[in-house]
Amino acid sequence: MKAEMKRLFDPRAVAVIGASTNPAKIGFRVVENIVSGGYGGGIYPINPRGGEILGLPVHSSLESIDGEIDLGIVSVPASGVLSVVEACAEKGIGHLVVLTSGFSEVGKIDEERRVVDAAAAKGMRILGPNVFGIYSAASSLDATFGPGGIMAGRVAIVTQSGALGIAMIGKTASEALGLSALVSVGNKSDIDESDLLEYLVSDDRTAVVLLYIEGVKGGERLVETLSRVTRRKPVVVIKSGRSKRGAMAAASHTGSLAGADAVFDDLMRQCGVLRAKSVQEAFDWVRYLAFAPRPTGGDAVIVTNGGGIGVLATDACEEYGVELYDDQCALQDAFADVMPAFGSSKNPVDLTGQATAEDYASSLDAVLRDDRMHAAIALYCETAMADSARFERLLRDVYGRYRDVKPIVFSLFGGESIAKTIRTLRSEGIPVFGDVYAAVSPLGALYNAWRHVKVNHEEEAAVQIDVEAVRAILRSAGAEGRGFLLAHEAAQVAEVLGLRMPTSRIARSLEDALDAADGVGYPVVMKVVSKDIIHKSDAGGVALDLDDESEVVDAYQAILRNCRAYKRNAVIEGVEIAEMIRPGVETIVGARRDPSFGPVAMFGLGGIYVEVMKDVSFRAAPVGPMTANEMIASIRSYPLLLGVRGESRKDTEAVAKVIVKLSHLVAECREITDIEINPLVVYDQEEGVRAVDVRILFETPKGVKAT
Ligand code: ACO
């Protein structure tokens, strides 16, 4: 039986193995923090020397302790960790936090594996190694070697970066940000973000979770867990390491189209996770999300005494996804009694610089008590019209009355007295900012989280694909030692998926060619078939859009002539006659097994849009039609599919169906590492799509990967 996660956060007794009397050592700091943090359970420092630390008796070994221990903190050098872990497992400890560095992060993967195996053998869970510890408000436990003095609150932080995590303790203190938990996950040898999220989602103290991620392990489970958690609590993520290495490692064209970071970004959005660009932005978001009430609607109103910052805030609303209320009659009606004669009730509502503090407060009041308006963005430029102390009192009063009713953010701009007001109000937990964008950004995060919860997540039933038929095709290719399918094999897979590939035949004489063209149906395409000629177009070995017999005759002769001239000794096996696919918008639909996240579907427009603009979208597979349509709509070049310059709208529904099928195939048939239809030509609405080329890479049962 694996120990339940609750015991990690709310242990009845804690042992510190490697506790030290030396205040310079980590083994001392941890005991000191546990004691000064106010932990109420049993504390057992362990050190062979015995003695006393901060008045607590030091035990020479675990065996000498009678009671049960839920949590062990290990602070002994790497060479001693395995034997300590074995002793802890023997003692029946539920969870072990291994602070020690010097494992997989420096390449000692086997050593780390042995530690995890020794623990798992007795059902003990490992947090770390290479962590700074854990703080849990549930038990007032500060088992970290951080600076101490953590304030209890509603935000849980899970961090992979140790140094940044420790620094966050100080930052939370200076920002008056209370924590429900702070967990360092380090090497994630056993316990990872998903395990912790499972606990945090049902922890009543936690209102919002902040994840700092450097690299993803077990991404498929993380996506599944996050999708569930975000429906109950907002999750904010900061991810460093926007590196291209992941993309380079990916085998397929689709894989290299965008870096691993683009996949992470899209998948987080799919899960409803809010991705912050910086630590400061993440802090601003979680602080706001921890206390702001859920919006009751999407219509926000800006109240300002300066036209300029009103416009800036309008821009910021567009950037962060905050919608502005624009029912002019309702606005006029709401502000009729409070708007000074010189003001404008258009949103942004501009009271102008002549407004007094009282004008300002009553206008805010008008927004906040009106059911048609759902959030207030209050902007203020310092003027001689309002005394700052009085202004501060009015803001405090307005916020106090509506803080649990409607989302409100404030942005104040001015000199030293305004800076002081900002500091004072912020220290009281009032969402006041010195910049318009900084104020709108957390409101945007709140709205994004809210929209995700509101969306209907139900997707249609799974698609039926004859996966066994696909496997049979892979098996026969694998038997030849190949990890990729030849064109005709890929076409067979396409057929299983219900996709029609261009029909084609190989002709070995002119008569044959004419016969084949008749069979395929005009117009046709002709291509030389020769393993000696790789670049067919360069050799003059391709002819397009041939409408009748005479064009086929001319093209056949020209192709042979050109190719012989291009390469004298080339062995020409024949000429392929294929159906000419009529032009449309070229797209790429793909799906692959991502090294971090497992099955992932991909969509983009063909040509430069994908190659140069990296305009692609990813989602964790399988996806249903709703998500597939969302993928299509989320690329920047989407308007081209809606029809530009008088063209009609393209058949995006047909594209969505292909995305759904490919995504189900990679999710069900795990041997496939990459499948890509490039191009998938899209026609006008109701006219469907045509797959021109399909590429499939797979892993053979022996693990032979595609070359
Ligand atoms: N059982 C009990 N006590 C033991 C055992 C044992 N098996 N073995 C050693 N000890 C005692 C030692 O005698 C010592 O006590 P003492 O001070 O009375 O002599 C104490 O445990 C600590 O052992 P030291 O050999 O003194 O080791 P030290 O404290 O210098 O280092 C540590 C241990 C901190 C675990 C170190 O090896 C390490 O990994 N440091 C890095 C920690 C880190 O940075 N983690 C990542 C955090 S995140 C970030 O990046 C900030």
Side-chain angles (χ1 to χ4, degrees):
M1 259 295 273
K2 283 186 169 177
E4 52 167 333
M5 210 46 68
K6 183 176 183 302
R7 287 278 155 248
L8 174 66
F9 289 88
D10 192 7
R12 289 161 298 186
V14 181
V16 180
I17 304 104
S20 174
T21 48
N22 181 346
K25 289 196 182 177
I26 284 178
F28 175 85
R29 281 294 302 170
V30 175
V31 177
E32 188 187 36
N33 277 342
I34 295 176
V35 172
S36 62
Y39 174 65
I43 308 171
Y44 299 106
I46 317 283
N47 187 308
R49 294 180 208 267
E52 213 182 84
I53 301 175
L54 299 167
L56 295 167
V58 176
H59 294 254
S60 58
S61 72
L62 284 165
E63 289 91 75
S64 62
I65 300 167
D66 282 339
E68 275 187 54
I69 299 169
D70 287 324
L71 178 63
I73 313 293
V74 180
S75 179
V76 304
S79 57
V81 168
L82 183 58
S83 59
V84 166
V85 169
E86 286 165 346
C88 291
E90 205 49 54
K91 173 76 184 158
I93 290 181
H95 292 86
L96 218 52
V97 177
V98 181
L99 305 178
T100 316
S101 303
F103 288 90
S104 65
E105 84 281 7
V106 293
K108 298 200 170 166
I109 293 160
D110 291 344
E111 285 81 346
E112 189 167 295
R113 191 73 256 152
R114 279 196 282 278
V115 165
V116 177
D117 289 347
K122 298 279 181 181
M124 185 171 71
R125 305 292 309 265
I126 300 277
L127 181 68
N130 190 30
V131 298
F132 65 79
I134 180 167
Y135 162 80
S136 169
S139 49
S140 300
L141 173 72
D142 180 358
T144 73
F145 58 86
I150 301 176
M151 209 173 100
R154 296 159 67 93
V155 177
I157 300 180
V158 175
T159 172
Q160 196 176 352
S161 164
L164 193 69
I166 291 181
M168 276 183 187
I169 297 178
K171 177 98 176 138
T172 54
S174 74
E175 298 248 334
L177 181 72
L179 300 182
S180 58
L182 172 63
V183 190
S184 166
V185 287
N187 297 359
K188 299 192 253 191
S189 68
D190 174 18
I191 294 173
D192 61 13
E193 290 92 351
S194 302
D195 295 308
L196 299 165
L197 283 163
E198 294 290 2
Y199 166 80
L200 294 169
V201 71
S202 45
D203 170 40
D204 291 341
R205 285 183 175 76
T206 301
V208 49
V209 181
L210 168 58
L211 298 178
Y212 180 92
I213 295 181
E214 280 170 354
V216 177
K217 269 187 187 176
E220 211 173 327
R221 185 169 159 237
L222 182 64
V223 163
E224 190 277 320
T225 312
L226 283 169
S227 311
R228 276 185 291 111
V229 172
T230 51
R231 280 173 221 171
R232 291 177 57 188
K233 288 177 187 181
V235 178
V236 174
V237 69
I238 322 169
K239 180 176 170 291
S240 60
R242 296 171 176 250
S243 94
K244 288 202 172 90
R245 275 179 67 181
M248 279 155 66
S252 79
H253 183 218
T254 34
S256 56
L257 291 175
D261 193 67
V263 178
F264 179 86
D265 209 53
D266 277 2
L267 265 56
M268 288 303 109
R269 197 166 301 126
Q270 180 183 5
C271 297
V273 171
L274 309 163
R275 187 173 182 187
K277 288 194 211 82
S278 65
V279 177
Q280 186 58 55
E281 185 172 59
F283 267 62
D284 285 345
W285 287 2
V286 292
R287 201 178 141 102
Y288 189 64
L289 292 164
F291 292 99
R294 279 194 178 187
T296 50
D299 292 319
V301 176
I302 299 170
V303 176
T304 179
N305 69 339
I309 53 167
V311 177
L312 267 182
T314 309
D315 292 344
C317 285
E318 192 169 304
E319 180 165 334
Y320 293 111
V322 177
E323 283 161 25
L324 291 176
Y325 189 56
D326 60 5
D327 182 332
Q328 197 41 47
C329 295
L331 284 162
Q332 247 165 20
D333 165 47
F335 290 99
D337 297 338
V338 293
M339 177 61 64
F342 38 85
S344 150
S345 60
K346 259 197 181 141
N347 195 3
V349 176
D350 185 2
L351 308 174
T352 80
Q354 281 192 55
T356 61
E358 284 71 19
D359 292 333
Y360 194 85
S362 26
S363 298
L364 270 183
D365 225 52
V367 174
L368 292 165
R369 66 167 178 253
D370 194 313
D371 288 343
R372 294 166 293 188
M373 302 166 205
H374 307 119
I377 300 165
L379 315 176
Y380 182 77
C381 290
E382 188 176 25
T383 68
M385 299 300 292
D387 158 60
S388 59
R390 174 148 182 70
F391 183 68
E392 187 179 304
R393 276 198 303 281
L394 285 168
L395 287 197
R396 187 180 289 115
D397 171 59
V398 171
Y399 182 73
R401 277 185 290 124
Y402 294 102
R403 55 175 295 162
D404 297 328
V405 183
K406 282 185 192 177
I408 314 169
V409 286
F410 300 94
S411 174
L412 314 185
F413 191 74
E416 186 41 44
S417 65
I418 285 287
K420 198 169 141 281
T421 298
I422 293 175
R423 280 196 300 276
T424 309
L425 295 177
R426 275 183 78 87
S427 71
E428 296 167 23
I430 302 177
V432 182
F433 301 84
D435 173 72
V436 171
Y437 274 74
V440 177
S441 156
L443 186 62
L446 179 73
Y447 268 117
N448 281 331
W450 175 71
R451 276 192 286 267
H452 178 73
V453 173
K454 259 193 8 171
V455 163
N456 174 18
H457 294 276
E458 288 308 309
E459 295 241 318
E460 282 90 318
V463 176
Q464 293 302 319
I465 293 174
D466 187 352
V467 177
E468 270 321 304
V470 175
R471 286 211 168 100
I473 300 165
L474 301 181
R475 264 197 305 276
S476 79
E480 293 175 15
R482 272 186 285 125
F484 61 93
L485 295 189
L486 297 173
H488 71 279
E489 295 163 333
Q492 286 166 12
V493 173
E495 201 174 311
V496 173
L497 295 174
L499 294 167
R500 199 158 66 82
M501 300 294 293
T503 40
S504 76
R505 273 172 53 185
I506 298 192
R508 297 184 204 280
S509 66
L510 180 57
E511 289 70 39
D512 236 10
L514 289 168
D515 202 38
D518 253 355
V520 165
Y522 289 99
V524 294
V525 175
M526 289 172 71
K527 287 182 217 164
V528 68
V529 180
S530 166
K531 57 178 180 332
D532 298 322
I533 298 175
I534 297 178
H535 302 294
K536 298 181 175 73
S537 300
D538 294 355
V542 179
L544 302 173
D545 206 5
L546 308 170
D547 285 325
D548 53 34
E549 284 195 1
S550 75
E551 288 190 17
V552 168
V553 171
D554 289 349
Y556 186 84
Q557 287 163 345
I559 285 174
L560 293 190
R561 196 171 51 242
N562 294 343
C563 291
R564 287 202 181 107
Y566 181 76
K567 205 169 195 182
R568 239 168 184 284
N569 304 324
V571 177
I572 295 172
E573 288 141 50
V575 176
E576 185 189 352
I577 319 288
E579 182 189 353
M580 169 89 191
I581 299 291
R582 92 189 141 84
V585 176
E586 292 194 359
T587 63
I588 301 183
V589 175
R592 68 181 164 109
R593 214 171 64 199
D594 185 86
S596 303
F597 291 101
V600 165
M602 172 266 173
F603 170 75
L605 284 203
I608 56 153
Y609 297 101
V610 154
E611 301 282 350
V612 184
M613 316 286 285
K614 310 278 185 222
D615 188 13
V616 283
S617 58
F618 298 93
R619 295 291 183 276
V623 300
M626 192 183 84
T627 306
N629 279 304
E630 200 186 280
M631 277 177 84
I632 298 169
S634 70
I635 61 167
R636 294 193 300 282
S637 32
Y638 177 57
L640 296 180
L641 289 168
L642 295 176
V644 284
R645 297 186 178 171
E647 283 180 9
S648 34
R649 192 191 160 108
K650 306 298 165 212
D651 198 342
T652 52
E653 288 299 322
V655 180
K657 281 186 185 142
V658 177
I659 296 175
V660 170
K661 280 183 186 163
L662 254 54
S663 75
H664 276 80
L665 179 63
V666 289
E668 286 178 46
C669 185
R670 295 294 174 114
E671 300 92 310
I672 295 180
T673 52
D674 277 275
I675 176 164
E676 183 177 293
I677 304 179
N678 182 12
L680 178 80
V681 181
V682 191
Y683 302 111
D684 289 353
Q685 230 167 356
E686 314 230 330
E687 289 181 15
V689 292
R690 286 300 301 272
V692 177
D693 197 16
V694 180
R695 248 167 44 102
I696 298 174
L697 308 181
F698 65 99
E699 260 175 8
T700 65
K702 285 184 204 128
V704 179
K705 202 161 185 273
T707 46

